[in-house]
Amino acid sequence: MNKRNKEVITSAGIDIGTSTTKLVISRLSLRNTAGMTHMPRIEITDKEVIYESPIFRTPLLDGKEIDMEKVDAMVRDQYEKAGIQASDIQTGAVIITGETATKSNAKEMVSHLSDHAGKFLVATAGPDLESIIAAKGSGAFELSKKTNKTVANIDIGGGTANTAVYRYGKLVGTCTLHVGGKLMEFDHDSIHYLSPAVQKVNEKLGLDLTIGMQPEEKTISKLTDYMAEVIRKMLDGEIEENEPLLLGNLPQWTRSIDVVMFSGGVSECIYHPEGCTSNHLYNDIGISLAQSLLENPQLQLKEWKRPGETVRATVLGAGTQTTEISGATIQVDNATLPLRDMPVHMIDFKEEFESVLSSMSDHILAGSRVFDPHEEGMTMAIYLSDLPLLGFKDIQRLAKALVTAFDEHRPAQPLVIILERDLAKSLGQAIQVLEGEREMVCIDQIKVEHGDYLDIGSKLDSGVVPVVIKTLTFHE
């Protein structure tokens, strides 16, 4: 089978979480799924995990910073054990999750790893994306595709509970809570750490928890019972906007949840309670939280399903589920790629085609003002949404409008165009005829939203490029 029909690329997933850091190496098989007489369509047809690291405790300096040297050494050591080099990595993601995303050097850490741990290893953070990646890694996403049920995956780690809800393989919504095992920690029997969110719940419930005290088990249970009930309210759409454990937006789903799956570190004590007998085992409240979830009567009314992957769900998703593949008929300047951290500015063609063409300059200016207000040279990707069927002359006119608008407002920036329909080759060639010297990337078969961030990798042997849609939100 020739290279155009089959290609294998190596992907890495690195998850730096509140409590633990993990790494997986995977092989992604690409194949042309179109018939011989059809336009090529390259898709990821197989994902094989070839190496899983042990679960390491996330190294911190004084609790305020990630120990970058230790993480770096850990990654290099695991690459060596897997028998690969950084130069072998062609796609994947470094993600920073939970409370770790609040550390003062979090952004520096993931940027460093994404620059040094592979050719195209992207840096991501943000609770919404964590939720989606974990749901894909746990199997909740696949389960929703196979049933007519609404499936919620709740990934509970040390600092956050990240929930993603799917129905028929479509994302219904996400929600993140300050719920996790490391939000209250012990030094022997005494409280060593209370997170700000837990301190608010402490005041609300009148529990009188303070640093240095030795709380009774029933007091800890009151706290974790409250956390479990907040999870129940979130699933049922009853959580309130002033809830102290809510991180970010309220849930967006309106359908009732049929199936609940738990992943993350706390899920180990949900599915294996016999091995979790005392909070002192981990010096935190993770075991008590798992028990409270198991004993919440309304949660028990829902169907519980054990995921295919629990504690490694997020890192597995990062290594196998973050990459998308562009269309094969695209127009790219290899010297321009890879491109990273590009905000997406959407131009919607739901209006009349002529109207959008005539206002193209205004659209590009609007994007520049939002994403590059200080004119620092940020490369911006333009997503042309809902394009109508276009003939040759219309494609030429669209190319002319884009080139003119970029010459006016973004003269020194690469022209990066994202399409959902198979028009990239035609539009890219039309742009090249008009302005052959400008750096240009025009790809299709990718669907994004306004405000997403994109990384586009170098062209693969099969003529496609790997694309990762992500968020770069480091919560404060």
Side-chain angles (χ1 to χ4, degrees):
M1 187 174 289
N2 61 41
K3 282 186 176 180
R4 185 149 180 83
N5 287 332
K6 186 178 180 182
E7 183 175 3
V8 176
I9 60 175
T10 304
S11 174
I14 303 170
D15 175 16
I16 306 169
T18 306
S19 309
T20 59
T21 293
K22 302 169 282 290
L23 178 148
V24 298
I25 307 294
S26 308
R27 284 199 185 102
L28 309 182
S29 297
L30 310 184
R31 190 184 297 271
N32 182 4
T33 58
M36 295 297 291
T37 58
H38 293 82
M39 186 180 293
R41 186 174 185 90
I42 311 299
E43 295 182 359
I44 298 172
T45 57
D46 190 41
K47 301 167 184 175
E48 178 192 5
V49 176
I50 58 174
Y51 181 78
E52 293 186 22
S53 77
I55 297 171
F56 300 100
R57 186 159 181 90
T58 299
L60 299 175
L61 297 169
D62 301 323
K64 295 179 181 178
E65 288 191 350
I66 304 162
D67 191 326
M68 291 177 58
E69 287 187 11
K70 284 189 178 178
V71 173
D72 209 16
M74 187 190 304
V75 170
R76 285 199 307 269
D77 178 65
Q78 291 305 301
Y79 276 14
E80 190 174 327
K81 284 182 168 60
I84 65 159
Q85 298 180 5
S87 57
D88 298 327
I89 302 297
Q90 292 158 288
T91 189
V94 182
I95 61 173
I96 188 157
T97 57
E99 293 285 296
T100 314
T102 67
K103 303 304 179 188
S104 59
N105 64 339
K107 191 169 185 177
E108 186 184 357
M109 175 76 256
V110 289
S111 296
H112 172 80
L113 275 182
S114 68
D115 286 341
H116 294 89
K119 289 180 188 173
F120 181 59
L121 199 60
V122 306
T124 72
D128 291 339
L129 190 64
E130 292 167 36
S131 304
I132 293 165
I133 289 174
K136 290 184 174 180
S138 73
F141 167 69
E142 284 296 327
L143 177 66
S144 76
K145 287 164 66 174
K146 297 173 184 174
T147 69
N148 64 349
K149 296 180 178 179
T150 305
V151 182
N153 187 79
I154 308 166
D155 189 83
I156 310 178
T160 54
N162 300 307
T163 302
V165 177
Y166 282 89
R167 183 173 176 82
Y168 299 126
K170 300 287 186 183
L171 180 67
V172 178
T174 62
C175 187
T176 302
L177 302 173
H178 289 290
V179 172
K182 295 292 179 187
L183 297 182
M184 187 163 90
E185 295 183 86
F186 305 100
D187 184 1
H188 299 293
D189 294 333
S190 302
I191 296 175
H192 173 67
Y193 171 71
L194 280 174
S195 75
V198 166
Q199 289 179 32
K200 290 178 183 176
V201 175
N202 178 32
E203 293 173 11
K204 182 176 180 177
L205 300 182
L207 298 179
D208 296 324
L209 296 168
T210 56
I211 302 294
M213 75 174 290
Q214 296 182 3
E216 296 181 3
E217 289 292 333
K218 65 179 181 181
T219 305
I220 298 171
S221 294
K222 285 180 182 177
L223 171 65
T224 57
D225 285 349
Y226 179 86
M227 289 180 169
E229 180 59 14
V230 169
I231 285 177
R232 196 280 305 167
K233 287 180 177 178
M234 172 196 66
L235 292 174
D236 291 339
E238 297 175 11
I239 193 170
E240 296 180 354
E241 200 163 356
N242 62 351
E243 170 54 54
L245 296 183
L246 180 65
L247 173 57
N249 298 320
L250 288 165
Q252 307 97 325
W253 53 87
T254 54
R255 283 184 171 274
S256 60
I257 306 298
D258 302 310
V259 179
V260 176
M261 299 171 78
F262 289 95
S263 61
V266 171
S267 72
E268 287 292 284
C269 291
I270 292 174
Y271 300 114
H272 302 288
E274 68 284 352
C276 300
T277 53
S278 168
N279 284 315
H280 302 308
L281 187 63
Y282 300 108
N283 290 321
D284 62 27
I285 58 172
I287 290 172
S288 181
L289 175 57
Q291 192 63 36
S292 293
L293 289 164
L294 288 165
E295 293 176 357
N296 184 286
Q298 286 179 281
L299 277 176
Q300 293 305 314
L301 297 177
K302 300 183 187 299
E303 180 185 349
W304 286 42
K305 197 160 187 70
R306 185 171 171 174
E309 186 58 64
T310 53
V311 70
R312 286 186 171 88
T314 304
V315 71
L316 188 66
T320 64
Q321 302 287 346
T322 53
T323 300
E324 296 188 26
I325 299 297
S326 76
T329 51
I330 59 178
Q331 191 76 15
V332 300
D333 294 329
N334 274 334
T336 305
L337 297 175
L339 288 169
R340 295 182 175 179
D341 304 342
M342 291 181 293
V344 174
H345 179 60
M346 184 170 75
I347 299 177
D348 195 337
F349 280 81
K350 282 182 181 174
E351 295 179 39
E352 199 174 306
F353 182 67
E354 298 295 333
S355 172
V356 180
L357 282 193
S358 63
S359 57
M360 186 65 73
S361 177
D362 293 337
H363 285 298
I364 300 303
L365 177 60
S368 298
R369 284 174 172 168
V370 170
F371 296 115
D372 194 15
H374 303 298
E375 298 182 2
E376 296 170 320
M378 165 79 75
T379 299
M380 179 175 67
I382 305 299
Y383 176 49
L384 304 181
S385 172
D386 289 308
L387 271 174
L389 288 171
L390 299 179
F392 177 69
K393 287 187 176 179
D394 286 334
I395 290 173
Q396 287 184 309
R397 292 169 63 220
L398 175 58
K400 177 69 173 175
L402 286 164
V403 166
T404 301
F406 262 70
D407 282 347
E408 184 178 356
H409 301 296
R410 316 285 297 167
Q413 300 308 307
L415 183 49
V416 181
I417 306 297
I418 313 297
L419 306 162
E420 190 174 2
R421 290 184 45 217
D422 295 324
L423 285 172
K425 190 78 170 178
S426 303
L427 180 58
Q429 288 178 339
I431 291 171
Q432 207 165 45
V433 167
L434 291 168
E435 199 168 24
E437 295 302 310
R438 181 190 283 276
E439 290 185 88
M440 187 264 299
V441 174
C442 193
I443 64 172
D444 56 28
Q445 293 186 21
I446 297 293
K447 183 171 175 58
V448 289
E449 300 289 341
H450 183 80
D452 283 344
Y453 279 76
L454 281 186
D455 283 35
I456 304 176
S458 300
K459 188 185 278 192
L460 303 175
D461 291 344
S462 45
V464 299
V465 292
V467 178
V468 177
I469 304 165
K470 63 184 186 174
T471 173
L472 291 174
T473 307
F474 289 80
H475 37 266
E476 298 298 327

